[in-house]
Amino acid sequence: MAATPTDTPPQAREIADAGSESGPETLTFAKALNAALADEMAADPTVVVFGEDVGPLGGVFRITDGLTARFGTDRCFDTPLAESGIMGMAVGMAMNGLRPVVEMQFDAFAYPAFEQVVSHVAKMSNRTKGKVKLPLVIRIPYAGGIGGVEHHSDSSEAYYAHTPGLTVVAPATVADAYTLLRDAIRLKDPVVFLEPKKLYWSKETVDLAVLRRAADEALRTGRQVPGGIGTAAVARTGTDATLVAYGPSVSTALAAAAAAEAEGRSLEVIDLRSIVPYDDAAVDASVRRTGRAVVISEAPGFASVASEIVARIQERCFHSLAAPVLRVTGFDVPYPAPKLEHWFLPGVDRILDAVDELQWEEPPGSGAGAGTSASEDPR
Amino acid sequence: MTISTGRTRQASFGAESGSGSTDALLPSDVPVQLLDAGGAARQDSRYAMPADDMLLDAYARLVAGRRINDQANALVRQGRLAVYPSSHGQEACQVAAAAVLQTQDWLFPTYRDSVAVMSRGVDPLQVLTLLRGDWHSGYDPYEHRVAPQATPLATQLLHAVGVAHAAKLKGEDTVVLALCGDGATSEGDFHEALNFAAVFHVPVVFFIQNNEYAISVPLKNQSVAPSLAHKAIGYGMPGERVDGNDVAALLSVLGAAVLRAREGGGPALVEAHTYRMQAHTNADDATRYRSAEEVQDWLPRDPLARTRSYLRGRGLLDDAREDELAAAAEALAAAMREGLNADVEPDPLALFEHVYTRRTPQLAEQSELLRGELQRDEEERDALVRNAAGDPDGTGNPADPGASR
């Protein structure tokens, strides 16, 4: 840990010192991201943070809080309001030896930068046969559930996941927010880092010191952080069916699994953590064990990441499946106005309804033969 | 001819900057010219005629550039290049862009700037890799500090700003020269790049080669600004217009802009007035959108002829030297021909390289799939060879002539 300058404001000091040796503590998702940024900036002088309002304001969600005060305006600075400009400048800065971490403020505000992302960020290494690497991170406060007005709640992961060359990460836990962001900044490839907005204020008890030591150790040894990008996690174990989710949908899936348990059904929840690379092995292992799967995502389902996951499971686990793999997703409509979003977002009930449709031989808790057959309407 | 504005210009790239005066940011009323179309020297109070050796060197590069353009066009006709966007007529811009930079500087070219890239020292065959169709870029950008040739318009201008910004933060003595065409000035990234460069005060020189057409769309349908260089003032940086067929003026104006950036003066915008003598690419039919008369009008303003005339007038160029330059250009063209006549078979498995530093499991699977297909193709080819040799099963025994009946 770099020495903290004496003029550091109390808040920044608190972040820098958070959990240094203090054991488990309650931390928000937002603070975990802030700590990850601060730790990477302290560890690597080439890490620079920029975007709209990320300087003195600390970002509209305060993820960059205190970074300008602690690291100076060369390391964390505001840009003119122009997303393509932010993205294109990041390309050049990465070409010239820096590690930019840019913020796109809101999911739909990132679209003006889309050409830079798909035409250059994703392709520069390939275009130059690996001569030019772009170690940059595009942080996007993403998805819905916070009552945002239009253009503040899009789930845009499919656009990025569809683009070869981009690594796409969506953390779902406070610990993962910290670990995955540090791993993303360390990666030599560009990363689209999707931060579920509705989780920013969620709290967990984590031992940041332990996470920090693991990340520091990985940095020292050049190995990947344990639980880093590319590895899915079993968020909850279960035996009857697998719920596959990522980012904002993981908490909903966990709530659904808890409710299902009360109904006598044991659901496993896989948290993908990264969409690209996609952890086939973890998903396959779970589905082969349970024989049933439901994929959950907030994004409209048509031509979506959820569609891709369903296709992969059916291709790879067909002989283990007792039922077709189902999707529970947002509807194929533009993200709705705040008063309607709860009808749009996949909730616990919609997930449980889908689980009920997985062609169960017998309903939970009933005697043999009392259930619906595969040919009958399970409802 | 000078259109009087009734005011005196206070500064140019070579003079002091940051006076806060709008006049200091405005371009000349007419493009800066140091050599007229006939090759006669013209006085300009702000820009000096480059030294003789610089102009001789530029002329050698012009001759080579013209030959490269001609050869590349011929190679397209022969099917050796998929396409070539010629810079015939714009060679002075190409040559000057490379000549004003030092080793540590960066050049950000577009697809039409092959001659500039070669002039910067990149092997012509590596430059033509993109246009031959082997790979998207054929050279290591760090080797000569030349970015990959950009195909989308204006996007590379922002990369140039980023490289310059990083250089500034790292304390490097680096200037970035970013090329674009007139069409690119309509793109959002053009405006974002100029604004970012000015706000962050980074050492970038934006160089527009205004060749009058964006494929088929003439400049009047692209912009109604007094000139493209006038756009600079809106971003708080100086703009300048220069005769794009006058290599002396280009060297002087671009050189001053680069020097100003190197000394901490910040970004500048230079617009060269030139003309694309040929079609957009070989796939384009320029007769659909411009008249033969218009093209003919530009012929007497050729950048090579006027430089040649000036140098000969000063006794710096004679027939013997011209023969040498022509022979050197011919040797370059011959090497290009020879290099492109060799059939390169890109390795199909290279498709999976350089997508991710750590290959994803999915790409590993797809790579194996293709490896299997390649192996099967090879086995089928071997079988065909064996059949042709009368040894279908590879045992060395001749085929039974009755077996197939």
Side-chain angles (χ1 to χ4, degrees), chain A residues 363-374:
Chain A
S366 72
T372 55
S373 79

mmCIF file with all atom_site columns, all heavy atoms in Angstrom, chain A residues 363-374:
data_model
loop_
_atom_site.group_PDB
_atom_site.id
_atom_site.type_symbol
_atom_site.label_atom_id
_atom_site.label_alt_id
_atom_site.label_comp_id
_atom_site.label_asym_id
_atom_site.label_entity_id
_atom_site.label_seq_id
_atom_site.pdbx_PDB_ins_code
_atom_site.Cartn_x
_atom_site.Cartn_y
_atom_site.Cartn_z
_atom_site.occupancy
_atom_site.B_iso_or_equiv
_atom_site.pdbx_formal_charge
_atom_site.auth_seq_id
_atom_site.auth_comp_id
_atom_site.auth_asym_id
_atom_site.auth_atom_id
_atom_site.pdbx_PDB_model_num
ATOM 1  N N   . PRO A 1 363 ? -44.940 -33.372 -8.324  1.00 0.00 ? 363 PRO A N   1
ATOM 2  C CA  . PRO A 1 363 ? -44.765 -32.096 -7.646  1.00 0.00 ? 363 PRO A CA  1
ATOM 3  C C   . PRO A 1 363 ? -44.066 -32.305 -6.313  1.00 0.00 ? 363 PRO A C   1
ATOM 4  O O   . PRO A 1 363 ? -44.180 -33.382 -5.730  1.00 0.00 ? 363 PRO A O   1
ATOM 5  C CB  . PRO A 1 363 ? -46.200 -31.589 -7.457  1.00 0.00 ? 363 PRO A CB  1
ATOM 6  C CG  . PRO A 1 363 ? -47.057 -32.781 -7.539  1.00 0.00 ? 363 PRO A CG  1
ATOM 7  C CD  . PRO A 1 363 ? -46.341 -33.793 -8.374  1.00 0.00 ? 363 PRO A CD  1
ATOM 8  N N   . PRO A 1 364 ? -43.369 -31.323 -5.830  1.00 0.00 ? 364 PRO A N   1
ATOM 9  C CA  . PRO A 1 364 ? -42.626 -31.492 -4.588  1.00 0.00 ? 364 PRO A CA  1
ATOM 10 C C   . PRO A 1 364 ? -43.576 -31.811 -3.449  1.00 0.00 ? 364 PRO A C   1
ATOM 11 O O   . PRO A 1 364 ? -44.667 -31.256 -3.349  1.00 0.00 ? 364 PRO A O   1
ATOM 12 C CB  . PRO A 1 364 ? -41.942 -30.128 -4.400  1.00 0.00 ? 364 PRO A CB  1
ATOM 13 C CG  . PRO A 1 364 ? -42.725 -29.171 -5.217  1.00 0.00 ? 364 PRO A CG  1
ATOM 14 C CD  . PRO A 1 364 ? -43.258 -29.966 -6.365  1.00 0.00 ? 364 PRO A CD  1
ATOM 15 N N   . GLY A 1 365 ? -43.170 -32.750 -2.599  1.00 0.00 ? 365 GLY A N   1
ATOM 16 C CA  . GLY A 1 365 ? -43.922 -33.049 -1.390  1.00 0.00 ? 365 GLY A CA  1
ATOM 17 C C   . GLY A 1 365 ? -45.104 -33.988 -1.610  1.00 0.00 ? 365 GLY A C   1
ATOM 18 O O   . GLY A 1 365 ? -45.774 -34.376 -0.663  1.00 0.00 ? 365 GLY A O   1
ATOM 19 N N   . SER A 1 366 ? -45.353 -34.379 -2.882  1.00 0.00 ? 366 SER A N   1
ATOM 20 C CA  . SER A 1 366 ? -46.490 -35.276 -3.102  1.00 0.00 ? 366 SER A CA  1
ATOM 21 C C   . SER A 1 366 ? -45.998 -36.699 -3.271  1.00 0.00 ? 366 SER A C   1
ATOM 22 O O   . SER A 1 366 ? -44.815 -36.952 -3.475  1.00 0.00 ? 366 SER A O   1
ATOM 23 C CB  . SER A 1 366 ? -47.259 -34.837 -4.339  1.00 0.00 ? 366 SER A CB  1
ATOM 24 O OG  . SER A 1 366 ? -46.482 -35.140 -5.477  1.00 0.00 ? 366 SER A OG  1
ATOM 25 N N   . GLY A 1 367 ? -46.899 -37.642 -3.240  1.00 0.00 ? 367 GLY A N   1
ATOM 26 C CA  . GLY A 1 367 ? -46.530 -39.038 -3.412  1.00 0.00 ? 367 GLY A CA  1
ATOM 27 C C   . GLY A 1 367 ? -46.231 -39.348 -4.859  1.00 0.00 ? 367 GLY A C   1
ATOM 28 O O   . GLY A 1 367 ? -46.563 -38.582 -5.761  1.00 0.00 ? 367 GLY A O   1
ATOM 29 N N   . ALA A 1 368 ? -45.617 -40.494 -5.116  1.00 0.00 ? 368 ALA A N   1
ATOM 30 C CA  . ALA A 1 368 ? -45.258 -40.907 -6.467  1.00 0.00 ? 368 ALA A CA  1
ATOM 31 C C   . ALA A 1 368 ? -46.511 -41.019 -7.323  1.00 0.00 ? 368 ALA A C   1
ATOM 32 O O   . ALA A 1 368 ? -47.551 -41.459 -6.873  1.00 0.00 ? 368 ALA A O   1
ATOM 33 C CB  . ALA A 1 368 ? -44.530 -42.241 -6.426  1.00 0.00 ? 368 ALA A CB  1
ATOM 34 N N   . GLY A 1 369 ? -46.402 -40.604 -8.551  1.00 0.00 ? 369 GLY A N   1
ATOM 35 C CA  . GLY A 1 369 ? -47.494 -40.760 -9.505  1.00 0.00 ? 369 GLY A CA  1
ATOM 36 C C   . GLY A 1 369 ? -48.536 -39.666 -9.445  1.00 0.00 ? 369 GLY A C   1
ATOM 37 O O   . GLY A 1 369 ? -49.415 -39.596 -10.272 1.00 0.00 ? 369 GLY A O   1
ATOM 38 N N   . ALA A 1 370 ? -48.426 -38.811 -8.468  1.00 0.00 ? 370 ALA A N   1
ATOM 39 C CA  . ALA A 1 370 ? -49.438 -37.762 -8.344  1.00 0.00 ? 370 ALA A CA  1
ATOM 40 C C   . ALA A 1 370 ? -49.130 -36.537 -9.208  1.00 0.00 ? 370 ALA A C   1
ATOM 41 O O   . ALA A 1 370 ? -49.967 -35.658 -9.347  1.00 0.00 ? 370 ALA A O   1
ATOM 42 C CB  . ALA A 1 370 ? -49.562 -37.326 -6.888  1.00 0.00 ? 370 ALA A CB  1
ATOM 43 N N   . GLY A 1 371 ? -47.943 -36.521 -9.783  1.00 0.00 ? 371 GLY A N   1
ATOM 44 C CA  . GLY A 1 371 ? -47.533 -35.304 -10.488 1.00 0.00 ? 371 GLY A CA  1
ATOM 45 C C   . GLY A 1 371 ? -47.990 -35.264 -11.931 1.00 0.00 ? 371 GLY A C   1
ATOM 46 O O   . GLY A 1 371 ? -48.717 -36.139 -12.400 1.00 0.00 ? 371 GLY A O   1
ATOM 47 N N   . THR A 1 372 ? -47.578 -34.219 -12.607 1.00 0.00 ? 372 THR A N   1
ATOM 48 C CA  . THR A 1 372 ? -47.928 -34.061 -14.008 1.00 0.00 ? 372 THR A CA  1
ATOM 49 C C   . THR A 1 372 ? -46.931 -34.838 -14.855 1.00 0.00 ? 372 THR A C   1
ATOM 50 O O   . THR A 1 372 ? -45.783 -35.026 -14.466 1.00 0.00 ? 372 THR A O   1
ATOM 51 C CB  . THR A 1 372 ? -47.857 -32.589 -14.402 1.00 0.00 ? 372 THR A CB  1
ATOM 52 O OG1 . THR A 1 372 ? -46.559 -32.103 -14.062 1.00 0.00 ? 372 THR A OG1 1
ATOM 53 C CG2 . THR A 1 372 ? -48.901 -31.776 -13.696 1.00 0.00 ? 372 THR A CG2 1
ATOM 54 N N   . SER A 1 373 ? -47.373 -35.290 -15.962 1.00 0.00 ? 373 SER A N   1
ATOM 55 C CA  . SER A 1 373 ? -46.444 -35.953 -16.876 1.00 0.00 ? 373 SER A CA  1
ATOM 56 C C   . SER A 1 373 ? -45.861 -34.918 -17.825 1.00 0.00 ? 373 SER A C   1
ATOM 57 O O   . SER A 1 373 ? -46.348 -33.785 -17.904 1.00 0.00 ? 373 SER A O   1
ATOM 58 C CB  . SER A 1 373 ? -47.180 -37.029 -17.677 1.00 0.00 ? 373 SER A CB  1
ATOM 59 O OG  . SER A 1 373 ? -47.897 -36.404 -18.728 1.00 0.00 ? 373 SER A OG  1
ATOM 60 N N   . ALA A 1 374 ? -44.873 -35.343 -18.564 1.00 0.00 ? 374 ALA A N   1
ATOM 61 C CA  . ALA A 1 374 ? -44.170 -34.408 -19.444 1.00 0.00 ? 374 ALA A CA  1
ATOM 62 C C   . ALA A 1 374 ? -45.104 -33.832 -20.503 1.00 0.00 ? 374 ALA A C   1
ATOM 63 O O   . ALA A 1 374 ? -44.888 -32.738 -20.985 1.00 0.00 ? 374 ALA A O   1
ATOM 64 C CB  . ALA A 1 374 ? -42.993 -35.108 -20.102 1.00 0.00 ? 374 ALA A CB  1
#
